[in-house]
Amino acid sequence: MNTENHSQTAAFLWSIADLLRGDFKQSQYGRIILPFTLLRRMECVLEPTKEAVIRESYAQEGRPDLVRERLLLRAAGQQFFNASKLTLSTLSDTQTAADLMSYVQSFSKDAREIFEHFHFEDFVQQLSSANLLYQVVQRFAATDLSPERISNFGMGIIFEELIRKFAESSNETAGEHFTPRDIVHLTTSLVITGQDDKLKPSSIVTIYDPTAGTGGFLSEGDEYIQSISQQVTVSLHGQELNPESYAICKADMLIKGQDVTSIKLGNTLSNDQLAGPEHRFDFMLSNPPFGVEWKKVQKQITDEHTNKGFNGRFGPGLPRVSDGSLLFLLHLVSKMRDPRVGGSRIGIILNGSPLFTGGAGSGESEIRRYLLQNDLVEAIIALPTDMFYNTGIATYVWVLSNHKAAMRQGKVQLIDGSQHFAKMRKSLGSKRQYLTEEQIDELVRLYGRFEETPQSKIFPVEAFGYRRITVERPLRLNFQVSTQRIEKVLEEKAIEKLDAPARQRLIEALRAMDASVLHRNREQFSKLLKKALNAHDVSPSTPELKAVLNALGERDPEADICMVKGQPEADAGLRDNESVPLGESVYDYFEREVKPHVPDAWIDESKRDEQDGEVGVVGFEIPFNRHFYVFQPPRPLEEIDLDLKACTDRIKQMIEGVSA
């Protein structure tokens, strides 16, 4: 079935919401239409074996629940069953609510839980009170959602289309629930391509998504592997925060015959429900939320970072609270298999922030450092803008592996896919562009070839590292006891705290000094100042004396250098940082790039990296766009002049036409 047919089915299901207008808010439509759609789909899937299940149900009455459920599952030929004689089409018009809930309660345990997450019973009662329940039931009963007509893949598209429509109508964010299928297909292809060793006949492959949504990545990963190696068993694992998305994902897995015990509900960052060494995965795919703060779970994450270090998930560092996407990346890295047993591959979609946000020593930089120095980053692919339903910003697919091919070891491939797109006939939210199958294939080929081209650049991991050194320059001050500077003295906080008599004696002492003399040596001026203060019985504390000198001094490049214990004092206002490429001597760089311009500067050698103890704090950033920038020379002046003249002539003709 094609996409157009899927859209038509979704549009029909959407139209059922017309019945709800007036009695329900728009934000509630999805919580009614989605579970009913799931219910009808599950009913259609079970229809061929329904009679067999009912017979088996009668035959097994009185048996223990566990035994009975196992036998009914076998009769159903699915991962779920319904033991009721009822169907949506046979529900009573007089006691619809009671019949419907009896029908739902006859599902197997995992299937029942799906409807609980939608608070289905509450909405059934509301529909019943509004005298709408029977009408809604009949509409769904008349909709053919059988597997023969709509594949599992197609059903996934329909669910996503419905979620998007309802999210738009209620001003919610559809992008929180699912990722566009073209992006899913690209990411999955990049991660799984060339992994023949893992996809041998009779092997078991595990796929994990910590932000599972409606299960798009899991479904696509399963379908992709089955399309290239049909004798491979795929085990799907995931966790999702949103209960309704989780319910759809779980239903999708049930219908596909997957074990849903590995699909979990909850916050992945604060409550990892697939923790432990047994939970390591072959392939991991994720599209975490962009730019979402993690303040709500800050304590749990900070505690894990502090207490467990590298024995936990967040050992390398923590990003700023305003964006938690790198936390999901670290979470995935912690789930990697040992390289000795084949390792793991990760595909994660991130915005531009994780590439460069945070200077040397920051949490973001330390995370990048860990990933790059441990040679985990294989490739980063830039996507076109306007690819997602809820944002038009630039996004990137990161491909990571702890079992790189020999030719990729110690290297990172950057691919510019920003120009690989086709315009959509009709925008879907912020999504105005999409990737065609040909464009996806081209990007995968660029990745697979691992060659230098205008769209593909290859760098050693060290190319993204640098040392940030602190360059100091000496403090040079002149001093003068002018009226203006004395007024500044009185504005100093330490002086404001003095009592009135003490302030008066201080003013008199300063006024007694020669205001016409400009002093360019702090040490000499300090001696004169102390002498004047003593003469007027003023004994300032160290902070008070510092405040007086601060107010009376002004920067002067012609003044003598201020000294402290025989060493030049650094001027904080002239302090600067230099980024030295990793691997180059900071002293050679300083002598070449800094000394010729500021001969009196020096390196603050107390600023050292915590890990290697060397001068300068190590930082890592990936300036993606810089590597693909192509200089476009400005147009010749003659050409610009001709354009201006032509424009002027047109304006002149228009004015003459109006005046005539």
Side-chain angles (χ1 to χ4, degrees):
M1 189 179 180
N2 60 37
T3 305
E4 188 176 350
N5 295 135
H6 298 149
S7 298
Q8 289 173 355
T9 302
F12 173 77
L13 294 168
W14 164 264
S15 71
I16 298 174
D18 291 337
L19 294 170
L20 309 177
R21 299 188 192 282
D23 294 283
F24 292 88
K25 299 176 183 176
Q26 284 193 338
S27 59
Q28 295 176 305
Y29 293 175
R31 294 175 172 85
I32 296 171
I33 300 300
L34 287 170
F36 269 106
T37 303
L38 279 171
L39 179 57
R40 179 56 181 157
R41 174 64 172 183
M42 294 168 81
E43 181 176 90
C44 290
V45 169
L46 293 174
E47 189 174 354
T49 59
K50 186 172 182 64
E51 292 300 323
V53 170
I54 292 171
R55 286 195 302 271
E56 190 69 24
S57 177
Y58 280 120
Q60 304 303 330
E61 280 186 359
R63 301 285 296 272
D65 289 346
L66 196 62
V67 175
R68 181 173 176 272
E69 182 152 321
R70 191 180 299 121
L71 292 169
L72 291 181
L73 286 171
R74 185 186 300 170
Q78 302 286 342
Q79 292 293 313
F80 63 104
F81 65 81
N82 188 296
S84 173
K85 289 183 178 180
L86 294 168
T87 65
L88 289 179
S89 61
T90 62
L91 297 183
S92 166
D93 60 346
T94 56
Q95 52 177 27
T96 313
D99 284 358
L100 180 57
M101 293 315 303
S102 172
Y103 180 36
V104 170
Q105 290 300 318
S106 298
F107 276 105
S108 49
K109 181 175 179 291
D110 285 325
R112 286 198 308 272
E113 286 180 353
I114 292 168
F115 296 96
E116 290 171 7
H117 290 299
F118 279 107
H119 301 287
F120 189 60
E121 186 170 3
D122 293 341
F123 284 104
V124 166
Q125 295 303 328
Q126 291 180 47
L127 284 166
S128 182
S129 300
N131 293 318
L132 293 172
L133 181 59
Y134 189 71
Q135 294 181 63
V136 171
V137 166
Q138 290 304 302
R139 288 280 192 98
F140 278 99
T143 308
D144 184 4
L145 299 181
S146 63
E148 291 77 23
R149 180 173 175 268
I150 303 174
S151 67
N152 287 332
F153 177 79
M155 203 64 220
I157 292 176
I158 290 170
F159 280 131
E160 291 177 1
E161 181 78 358
L162 286 173
I163 292 171
R164 186 188 61 76
K165 285 180 177 290
F166 288 123
E168 286 179 358
S169 69
S170 59
N171 294 318
E172 293 181 359
T173 307
E176 291 179 359
H177 303 283
F178 62 93
T179 308
R181 286 285 170 155
D182 51 342
I183 305 298
V184 171
H185 186 39
L186 170 65
T187 308
T188 305
S189 301
L190 288 166
V191 169
I192 300 178
T193 189
Q195 298 300 296
D196 296 342
D197 288 346
K198 287 184 179 289
L199 305 178
K200 292 177 180 176
S202 303
S203 58
I204 299 173
V205 174
T206 53
I207 302 177
Y208 173 62
D209 183 354
T211 53
T214 58
F217 267 127
L218 297 176
S219 297
E220 176 71 21
D222 185 16
E223 294 209 8
Y224 187 95
I225 290 173
Q226 298 297 348
S227 68
I228 60 176
S229 183
Q230 295 183 358
Q231 299 180 43
V232 173
T233 301
V234 181
S235 177
L236 304 178
H237 308 253
Q239 188 164 334
E240 170 56 29
L241 176 63
N242 182 279
E244 290 154 12
S245 297
Y246 163 77
I248 294 173
C249 178
K250 190 172 179 179
D252 191 35
M253 298 299 113
L254 274 177
I255 292 167
K256 290 175 179 175
Q258 284 285 338
D259 180 8
V260 294
T261 56
S262 293
I263 307 297
K264 304 293 186 181
L265 175 66
N267 191 311
T268 305
L269 297 179
S270 61
N271 181 22
D272 178 15
Q273 296 186 45
L274 295 171
E278 70 277 14
H279 293 296
R280 300 287 185 268
F281 308 102
D282 297 298
F283 303 111
M284 289 174 269
L285 304 159
S286 178
N287 176 24
F290 302 149
V292 175
E293 67 173 30
W294 47 281
K295 196 170 185 177
K296 289 182 181 177
V297 294
Q298 186 175 2
K299 185 180 184 306
Q300 297 95 314
I301 291 170
T302 304
D303 287 348
E304 182 172 341
H305 170 71
T306 305
N307 300 328
K308 293 186 177 181
F310 284 90
N311 292 322
R313 296 172 292 169
F314 311 119
L318 298 177
R320 62 198 66 194
V321 175
S322 58
D323 188 357
S325 41
L326 279 173
L327 293 175
F328 285 100
L329 180 50
L330 287 178
H331 170 81
L332 290 174
V333 169
S334 74
K335 303 288 187 184
M336 284 180 142
R337 291 190 185 278
D338 192 312
R340 291 170 293 185
V341 294
S344 302
R345 290 173 63 75
I346 295 171
I348 184 170
I349 301 165
L350 301 171
N351 63 6
S353 176
L355 292 169
F356 51 79
T357 299
S362 67
E364 292 90 346
S365 178
E366 288 299 295
I367 293 169
R368 289 191 292 269
R369 178 180 188 176
Y370 174 81
L371 297 173
L372 290 163
Q373 289 190 334
N374 285 277
D375 201 17
L376 295 175
V377 182
E378 263 200 6
I380 300 173
I381 300 92
L383 299 175
T385 55
D386 301 321
M387 294 297 291
F388 290 82
Y389 300 111
N390 59 330
T391 181
I393 63 173
T395 50
Y396 303 81
V397 179
W398 289 51
V399 181
L400 293 88
S401 172
N402 63 348
H403 194 242
K404 285 186 177 183
M407 65 179 181
R408 290 183 178 272
Q409 290 176 8
K411 297 175 182 173
V412 177
Q413 183 182 15
L414 303 183
I415 298 173
D416 181 15
S418 60
Q419 302 306 310
H420 290 65
F421 63 85
K423 290 286 184 183
M424 297 181 65
R425 286 187 299 174
K426 184 182 178 184
S427 299
L428 296 175
S430 296
K431 185 172 176 63
R432 300 177 179 89
Q433 300 176 156
Y434 72 101
L435 293 170
T436 65
E437 287 293 330
E438 292 76 20
Q439 290 165 339
I440 291 173
D441 291 343
E442 176 59 23
L443 289 172
V444 174
R445 279 195 296 272
L446 280 170
Y447 164 74
R449 290 197 202 100
F450 194 63
E451 296 173 353
E452 285 273 354
T453 71
Q455 286 79 43
S456 171
K457 310 285 186 183
I458 299 169
F459 302 90
V461 295
E462 297 82 11
F464 304 114
Y466 62 93
R467 283 188 186 275
R468 186 190 66 200
I469 59 171
T470 302
V471 177
E472 300 283 14
R473 293 181 63 185
L475 180 64
R476 297 175 185 267
L477 299 173
N478 67 44
F479 298 87
Q480 191 173 25
V481 195
S482 64
T483 303
Q484 293 85 353
R485 297 193 189 189
I486 291 174
E487 288 176 0
K488 288 182 180 179
V489 171
L490 297 175
E491 293 172 359
E492 293 283 335
K493 287 184 178 180
I495 305 304
E496 286 179 342
K497 293 178 181 178
L498 295 173
D499 57 35
R503 277 201 307 274
Q504 186 59 39
R505 290 197 303 274
L506 174 62
I507 294 169
E508 290 172 359
L510 295 176
R511 286 173 176 172
M513 299 178 71
D514 190 347
S516 65
V517 180
L518 187 69
H519 303 268
R520 284 195 163 95
N521 186 291
R522 186 174 67 179
E523 190 175 358
Q524 292 175 1
F525 177 76
S526 295
K527 290 178 180 178
L528 293 173
L529 176 64
K530 288 176 182 178
K531 188 176 178 182
L533 294 174
N534 288 333
H536 287 77
D537 196 26
V538 178
S539 302
S541 64
T542 301
E544 291 164 354
L545 183 61
K546 187 178 179 181
V548 172
L549 285 169
N550 182 62
L552 297 177
E554 289 184 357
R555 285 188 175 83
D556 182 354
E558 303 298 321
D560 295 341
I561 294 173
C562 299
M563 308 294 286
V564 178
K565 297 180 179 180
Q567 297 296 321
E569 183 179 346
D571 187 342
L574 297 177
R575 183 173 294 140
D576 199 6
N577 293 309
E578 291 283 331
S579 295
V580 183
L582 208 61
E584 182 177 354
S585 165
V586 297
Y587 300 104
D588 291 347
Y589 177 94
F590 179 79
E591 292 294 329
R592 185 182 72 250
E593 301 291 340
V594 180
K595 266 293 194 183
H597 308 288
V598 277
D600 59 0
W602 71 91
I603 299 173
D604 182 358
E605 297 189 358
S606 68
K607 304 287 177 62
R608 294 175 176 265
D609 187 73
E610 288 187 2
Q611 290 192 34
D612 62 22
E614 299 291 327
V615 174
V617 180
V618 172
F620 276 82
E621 65 176 19
I622 305 172
F624 195 101
N625 293 337
R626 186 194 307 167
H627 295 301
F628 291 95
Y629 173 74
V630 178
F631 174 71
Q632 297 289 342
R635 291 191 299 159
L637 287 174
E638 295 81 5
E639 188 179 322
I640 296 172
D641 285 341
L642 287 172
D643 283 351
L644 288 172
K645 187 178 183 306
C647 184
T648 305
D649 289 344
R650 284 197 303 272
I651 295 170
K652 187 178 178 182
Q653 289 173 6
M654 291 169 65
I655 294 171
E656 289 173 350
V658 172
S659 57

